[in-house]
Amino acid sequence: MDESTLIRHAANGDATAWEPLVLAHQQAVFRLSYLLLGDPDDAEDIAQETFLRAWKYLKSFDSTRPLRPWLLSIASNLASNRRRSAGRYFAALMRAFRDEPTSTTMEEKSSQKMQSNDLWKAVQTLNLPDQQIVYLRYFLDLSVAETAEVLQVAEGTVKSRMSRALEKLRNIIQQDFPVLIEGHEA
Amino acid sequence: MNEMEFEDKLRALANQMEYPRTPELAGSVTARLRTSTRPRFNSKALAWSLTIIVVLCSSLMLIPPARAAILEFIQIGVVRIFPKPTEPTIEPHITSTPAALVPITATSPSLSSNIIPVLNRMTGKTTLTYAQNKVDFPIVLPTYPSDLGQPDYVYVQDADGELVVLIWLDPQHSDQILLSLYIISNESWMVRKNQPPVIEETHVGKQRAIWTTGPYPVIISNGNIQYEQMVNGHGLIWADVDITYRLETGLSLEEAVKIAESLEPIP
């Protein structure tokens, strides 16, 4: 059964049709939630809530459209709301900065993976809309059109916001994480 | 490093990102779906209100013209817009209104001459910071026009569901309202617009939206609270999964859409 058919079945109350759709999209939904929240337990909560919310509103969803951007849109909204409550996000952010990896871990990790973590730290210093767009485009590898679908804006808006976000990110990297672009800058 | 090289570098690093193992969600989600057989009510008041609505709708279904009228409405989020019927309909029964709770419409002529005392009497007056701490959804502000600034008045009204009202005064006429934005949590308030003279379908970003022009009555209800207000201005309504937005202004449709598309969460 293709996605569109599964969505129609699920919208009519068939929970067994919803299960393969959850399986197909759970990784992207969980990863976006994790990137936005920085905590795997919170990310799991949000991912689960995303699929429950989506199920609830499935009748209003156009089954001819791809499901993933809609799910990511819900996850992004829920994670953003979670970040605003109880300072959880900031606590996670502080942990991310405070917890230096042990020497053993450092040896195990490749330099590139440590750099990926540094990139994440750099992105976390951006404001929320900028973070969302960077995560969607570069971490989840969504196209401009898909990103526009998630953020519910025009593709041109994605491009202009992306450009501004990248400029800010580049400044942050140059100032705080220059190793990420070492060898490239004159 | 030029822009393209920078993007390539970002993409390469992002692809190396280490994530925790993705939890197996399918089983837990479907288990929760199977156990949640009853709809969730926000409160007894809302449940009671829904019961009344169900009873009312059931009895109206017995009358063919009323049935036709009930089914012919446009819904955006929590807002239902009832176009002018072609057949006679049953007039809605309006209950008494707690005056202090009534939000102000953007362009009500009866109020526009001396709006400030009324705004000061409205329930739930607060600050943006306090409002954001109080509600679960992000409060958004227009970034267009660029000189609009922050709202002059902020209200949070909570009766089994949160409703944020932001009001900007007209800088040229500081006793009149330029713009008001209602941010309404879905699953809470129900807004009903009766027979606006103009109903036009449009879009805010990629979201379907409806543009209405007054005058027409708006009925806002939640649980056992219900009130009616007369809207003379224009209204743009759109919704996402969690929130319904209603922008009231005397500006044109094009300007209203620009304002709506410029909304950004408060920092």
Side-chain angles (χ1 to χ4, degrees), chain A residues 15-16 18-19 22-23 26-27 30-31 34-35 40 44 47-49 51-53 55-57 70 74 77-78 81 84 109 112-113 115-117 119-120 129 137-141 145 148-149 152-155 161 166 169-170 173 180-181 184-185, chain B residues 1-30 32-34 36 40 132-133 135-139 186-187 204-207 239-242 261-267:
Chain A
T16 55
W18 191 229
E19 198 165 331
V22 176
L23 278 171
Q26 63 184 11
Q27 186 180 75
F30 173 75
R31 286 186 171 186
Y34 177 69
L35 287 166
E44 183 173 349
Q48 190 173 97
E49 185 63 23
F51 288 107
L52 293 169
R53 290 271 181 117
W55 165 268
K56 188 174 175 183
Y57 293 100
W70 188 55
I74 296 171
N77 286 338
L78 290 173
N81 291 346
R84 293 176 190 283
K109 285 185 174 180
Q112 203 162 30
K113 281 178 179 164
Q115 287 189 356
S116 298
N117 208 41
L119 172 63
W120 188 26
R137 281 287 284 133
Y138 298 102
F139 285 74
L140 298 187
D141 221 13
E149 188 92 1
Q152 293 159 8
V153 297
E155 288 182 30
R161 281 193 195 171
L166 287 183
L169 184 59
R170 192 176 184 131
I173 288 173
L180 295 181
I181 48 177
H184 291 276
E185 300 294 271
Chain B
M1 187 185 286
N2 64 31
E3 199 169 306
M4 196 175 287
E5 288 170 336
F6 181 63
E7 284 194 66
D8 288 343
K9 180 74 179 175
L10 283 188
R11 196 165 278 115
L13 287 173
N15 283 338
Q16 294 295 318
M17 176 77 188
E18 279 192 328
Y19 296 92
R21 188 184 58 81
T22 300
E24 200 285 296
L25 295 171
S28 56
V29 167
T30 47
R32 278 184 64 181
L33 290 177
R34 287 189 179 110
S36 62
R40 184 172 58 86
Q132 186 58 88
N133 287 335
V135 301
D136 289 334
F137 48 81
I139 295 178
N186 290 348
E187 301 181 359
V204 170
K206 290 190 173 178
Q207 298 286 358
D240 60 25
V241 172
D242 299 312
E261 289 182 339
S262 78
L263 293 179
E264 296 276 3
I266 59 175

Side-chain angles (χ1 to χ4, degrees), chain B residues 117-177:
Chain B
V118 182
L119 289 175
N120 285 329
R121 281 204 308 273
M122 272 175 62
T123 296
K125 189 176 169 195
T126 184
T127 63
L128 263 184
T129 307
Y130 180 81
Q132 186 58 88
N133 287 335
K134 185 162 169 54
V135 301
D136 289 334
F137 48 81
I139 295 178
V140 289
L141 296 180
T143 54
Y144 173 86
S146 56
D147 58 351
L148 183 64
Q150 297 210 335
D152 297 291
Y153 289 87
V154 178
Y155 302 89
V156 175
Q157 298 179 348
D158 191 346
D160 291 336
E162 292 159 336
L163 164 69
V164 172
V165 186
L166 309 176
I167 291 174
W168 286 262
L169 297 177
D170 186 342
Q172 308 301 320
H173 308 278
S174 59
D175 57 347
Q176 292 179 23
I177 292 174

